[in-house]
Amino acid sequence: MKILGISCSPRKGGNTETLMVEALEGARSDGAEVELLSVAGKDIRGCDGCQACLKTGECHIDDDVQEILKAMLGANGIIFGTPIYFYGMTAQAKAIMDRTYAIGMRGAQLSNKVGGIIAVAGGVGLMDAIKDWYFYIAINHMAPASYIGAYAGERGAIKEKKREMKMAWELGRQMVQLVDSGWRFPEEFTKRGLGAYVAKKYGL
Ligand SMILES: Cc1cc2nc3c(=O)[nH]c(=O)nc-3n(C[C@H](O)[C@H](O)[C@H](O)COP(=O)(O)O)c2cc1C
């Protein structure tokens, strides 16, 4: 079993990454193989709306998002982590979300994976990003795990928040247990979703 954590903070060693490492350690403690991917220092470009991926199943943009898409496909559970920038997720988080159009729409390839969320704000504005990631998890027919919404401003300040650090650890363990539960979205309805519409339209 593989649990992937995607930290969408451009700040290396920041609070989101710190909580993500803790969550992945929790998952590892319950027997999962874990992988951390961070956008820090990476080339993360936005979707250009060409929609060619609906036919090819691949995104043509040659940047570091490709590695993230590949890792998402290979994971059983994915934790999406983002700092709050102006009351929402970071530009990098949104770019990754949009670019998964290439792997999500065509054949529901994210279905049945477990999704968890970590969001960190300095002091205000957590909910929109958490809500957006939950809609994303739902529309992709993933199983929702808990979210962590934490407040911390300076780099590393989250380490002082023992409760949030513990919650992150437990989120990792919860991801493993949800994957183990073998939950599956009913096939009958998967076939009727947006993915099915796209597949019919393009004869896939
Ligand atoms: C461009 C920018 C916008 C921000 N906007 C908000 C905000 O709307 N609300 C808030 O509470 N904190 C805001 N912050 C603070 C960050 O959310 C906070 O420092 C967080 O810990 C950063 O996470 P990281 O260490 O994982 O990068 C902002 C920071 C930056 C750089």
Side-chain angles (χ1 to χ4, degrees):
M1 177 198 307
K2 179 125 178 229
I3 305 295
L4 169 70
I6 307 172
S7 169
C8 298
S9 168
R11 181 157 74 166
K12 261 199 176 77
N15 297 314
T16 308
E17 192 181 307
T18 302
L19 282 177
M20 189 64 81
V21 167
E22 200 68 5
L24 293 179
E25 282 309 310
R28 197 204 303 271
S29 77
D30 267 16
E33 184 191 335
V34 300
E35 181 177 8
L36 170 68
L37 289 177
S38 166
V39 303
K42 299 263 175 71
D43 178 17
I44 306 287
R45 291 182 233 159
C47 171
D48 64 7
C50 75
Q51 306 227 17
C53 64
L54 294 179
K55 289 186 190 157
T56 64
E58 285 170 15
C59 179
H60 74 93
I61 302 172
D62 185 16
D63 65 356
D64 293 326
V65 175
Q66 295 294 345
E67 178 197 8
I68 295 171
L69 297 180
K70 204 166 153 216
M72 286 176 74
L73 289 175
N76 303 97
I78 305 164
I79 307 176
F80 303 101
T82 183
I84 299 304
Y85 279 12
F86 288 101
Y87 302 90
M89 67 182 74
T90 59
Q92 290 87 344
K94 189 61 169 60
I96 290 168
M97 180 186 270
D98 293 346
R99 295 275 300 281
T100 63
Y101 207 66
I103 58 170
M105 288 297 119
R106 223 170 78 115
Q109 294 181 84
L110 297 175
S111 284
N112 304 321
K113 298 182 189 294
V114 174
I117 302 163
I118 291 174
V120 186
V124 67
L126 282 170
M127 268 311 139
D128 278 339
I130 292 170
K131 174 208 67 182
D132 290 346
W133 278 117
Y134 264 133
F135 271 119
Y136 176 86
I137 286 167
I139 200 173
N140 280 296
H141 296 171
M142 297 170 74
S146 293
Y147 70 87
I148 294 179
Y151 294 112
E154 298 301 313
R155 189 200 317 253
I158 197 68
K159 288 184 191 149
E160 304 305 318
K161 303 235 172 162
K162 301 295 171 210
R163 185 170 158 273
E164 282 77 359
M165 294 292 281
K166 175 79 177 146
M167 282 166 63
W169 174 277
E170 296 296 358
L171 171 62
R173 295 191 51 238
Q174 194 189 106
M175 298 285 299
V176 174
Q177 290 180 33
L178 271 163
V179 172
D180 267 343
S181 77
W183 176 88
R184 298 192 71 74
F185 198 91
E187 286 275 325
E188 180 190 352
F189 301 105
T190 304
K191 285 185 190 134
R192 287 192 208 146
L194 181 56
Y197 162 77
V198 168
K200 194 169 167 204
K201 183 167 179 199
Y202 291 101
L204 302 166

